């Protein structure tokens, strides 16, 4: 399992570092992010939905656009913490999911495979226990044996199906 964390963490860490390398420490600034957002929004306008959030966002004060850039840049860079911190394993996959969802909504760039991938790495046992659903880590509670593996298997099949369809249909768009 740790080998999967290594691949996931290093991929996103180096994506974040490439932003620093190519754009400097202020890659996330509104002066840089706003043109990227507006360009992608206009290029993809009306492609599959019409929320127009990108053109709306660039009309907001600069700190809002900078916040979007910070989430992307530092969210990706923080992925390296997944290898060292249990707390990061609860937070960073959610940030990465939020980042890809934001890209989908603001820039209208569909990355369904990258929306689903962080779901595999989300630590949800604490949420399941909170709502009263037993997990495999609960000793003596809930299902035993193969029944415990139903949710992860269903999620894995959904992820594999999404990745297969998006790759075969060439749904991801790289500007």
């Amino acid at each position: 399992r740790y080998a999967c964390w290594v691949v996931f963490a290093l991929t996103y860490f180096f994506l974040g570092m490439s932003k620093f390398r190519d754009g400097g420490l202020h890659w996330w600034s509104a002066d840089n992010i706003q043109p990227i957002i507006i360009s992608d929004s206009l290029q993809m306008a009306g492609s599959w939905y019409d929320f127009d959030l990108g053109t709306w966002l660039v009309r907001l004060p600069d700190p809002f656009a900078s916040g979007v850039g910070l989430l992307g840049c530092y969210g990706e860079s923080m992925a390296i913490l997944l290898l060292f911190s249990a707390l990061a394993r609860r937070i960073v996959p959610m940030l990465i999911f939020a980042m890809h969802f934001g890209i989908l909504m603001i820039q209208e760039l569909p990355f369904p495979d990258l929306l689903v991938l962080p779901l595999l790495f989300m630590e949800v046992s604490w949420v399941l226990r909170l709502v009263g659903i037993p997990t495999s880590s609960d000793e003596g509670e809930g299902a035993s044996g193969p029944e415990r593996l139903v949710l992860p298997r269903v999620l894995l099949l959904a992820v594999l199906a999404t990745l297969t369809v998006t790759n075969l249909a060439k749904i991801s768009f790289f500007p």
Side-chain angles (χ1 to χ4, degrees):
R1 181 176 185 182
Y2 192 75
C4 294
W5 281 109
V6 169
V7 172
F8 183 78
L10 290 179
T11 300
Y12 277 98
F13 174 71
F14 287 117
L15 284 171
M17 290 295 103
S18 72
K19 289 175 177 59
F20 289 127
R21 182 193 66 224
D22 297 338
L25 291 177
H26 296 287
W27 178 91
W28 52 268
S29 72
D31 292 336
N32 185 51
I33 291 297
Q34 286 173 331
I36 293 170
I37 290 172
I38 197 71
S39 172
D40 289 344
S41 294
L42 292 174
Q43 183 178 9
M44 298 299 292
S47 59
W48 62 283
Y49 76 93
D50 194 21
F51 285 149
D52 201 27
L53 291 177
T55 54
W56 174 79
L57 180 70
V58 296
R59 286 185 244 140
L60 294 175
D62 288 353
F64 289 99
S66 294
V68 168
L70 276 171
L71 174 64
C73 199
Y74 291 101
E76 288 175 343
S77 300
M78 286 179 9
I80 197 71
L81 298 176
L82 294 169
L83 303 178
F84 309 106
S85 167
L87 179 61
R89 290 186 194 120
R90 290 183 176 186
I91 297 170
V92 173
M94 288 187 237
L95 286 175
I96 290 172
F97 175 82
M99 177 189 66
H100 286 297
F101 187 74
I103 289 169
L104 174 68
M105 300 307 289
I106 294 170
Q107 294 175 272
E108 299 184 37
L109 297 175
F111 294 110
D113 48 349
L114 296 179
L115 272 171
V116 175
L117 185 63
L119 298 176
L120 285 177
F121 293 95
M122 284 188 190
E123 172 57 50
V124 294
S125 61
W126 63 278
V127 175
L128 295 174
R129 281 193 297 273
L130 187 67
V131 296
I133 299 172
T135 65
S136 61
S137 62
D138 297 332
E139 294 180 358
E141 295 181 19
S144 62
E147 294 84 19
R148 280 192 253 171
L149 301 175
V150 171
L151 182 62
R153 285 181 183 165
V154 169
L155 182 59
L156 179 60
L157 287 174
V159 169
L160 288 174
T162 303
L163 292 173
T164 302
V165 168
T166 57
N167 283 321
L168 292 176
K170 297 181 180 178
I171 292 175
S172 293
F173 175 77
F174 299 96

